[in-house]
Amino acid sequence: MIKNKSLISINDFTRDEMLRIIELAADFEANPNQRLLEGKIIASLFFEPSTRTRLSFETAMNRLGARIIGFSDVNATSTTKGETLKDTIKMVSNYADLIVMRHPLEGAARYASEQASVPVINAGDGANQHPTQTLLDMFSIMKTQGHLDNIKIAMVGDLKYGRTVHSLLMAMSQFNPTFHFVAPDELKMPEEYKTFLRDKGISFTEHRDMNEVLPEVDILYMTRVQKERFSDLIEYERVKNTYVLRNSMLADTKENLRVLHPLPRVGEIATDVDANPKAYYFKQAENGVYTRMAIIASILGVK
């Protein structure tokens, strides 16, 4: 039962609940203007910069007929006066039926859900989790592959700090995937996630060369190296352009291969890939609106 349930980690939703969200997202894509939330107020609290996540959430809220309150610049809030996250959340809970929050600190979303009297949706907390991105990624995989089972997924780039790959790995582990991790040594998938996969009996390989895995995968999940997660800018400069996907590299890949990216891209996908029918990242971003409509409508119990 999703109603009145916070979504902090992708593990908060069962396999069946994830499939239900994907099914609902398809329903909203077919009929996007369903004003099911007239009279509801949703708080959009972005303590960290965001373009796609914030705008797709707010588009979803608008398409559902909800009113939006909140902020996208923490410098315009009482946080600058020293107000604690606890007090901010308790106060906003009095004003809204649901809180959507992005925060730079890992664990902030879970803490907020413990303080709030209304459900909280985690729109990303540091390098930890980004569960709504995961659900839109799963919707994108379902749309492009026709199913979620036994998918071969390459994850490329920043696998250490990339919250999107961590969440997607945990969600897709329910559908017997094969993972191929491609990263420089400094940005390899953390050991805890590899242990998680071993415990579930899910196979994965690790590579430094992206070309080794391109011919065999169904989904190529590219990520940017996140400058904001590095305390040492020299290390960032050393690894930032390790992987660049160019159109010519897709020549011998499977017909069903689709390239996903949570965006923004910085340089890891060359612009000549954009016109290739295997490039799916802009459509993936659009899928975020329908997926977030499905999540919001489910949590508020109107679908």
Side-chain angles (χ1 to χ4, degrees), residues 126-144:
N128 185 29
Q129 287 257 344
H130 197 354
T132 66
Q133 176 73 44
T134 302
L135 288 159
L136 78 88
D137 291 343
M138 293 172 77
F139 181 42
S140 299
I141 293 170
M142 176 74 92
K143 284 179 65 178
T144 61

Side-chain angles (χ1 to χ4, degrees), residues 27 87 209 221 281 293:
D27 175 64
D87 287 4
D209 183 352
Y221 198 96
Y281 29 90
M293 289 176 76

Side-chain angles (χ1 to χ4, degrees), residues 229-247:
R229 308 278 175 232
F230 280 79
S231 53
D232 182 350
L233 287 182
I234 295 170
E235 184 184 3
Y236 167 74
E237 291 294 332
R238 189 168 65 245
V239 299
K240 69 176 180 181
N241 291 322
T242 308
Y243 303 108
V244 179
L245 180 68
R246 303 187 190 284
N247 192 48

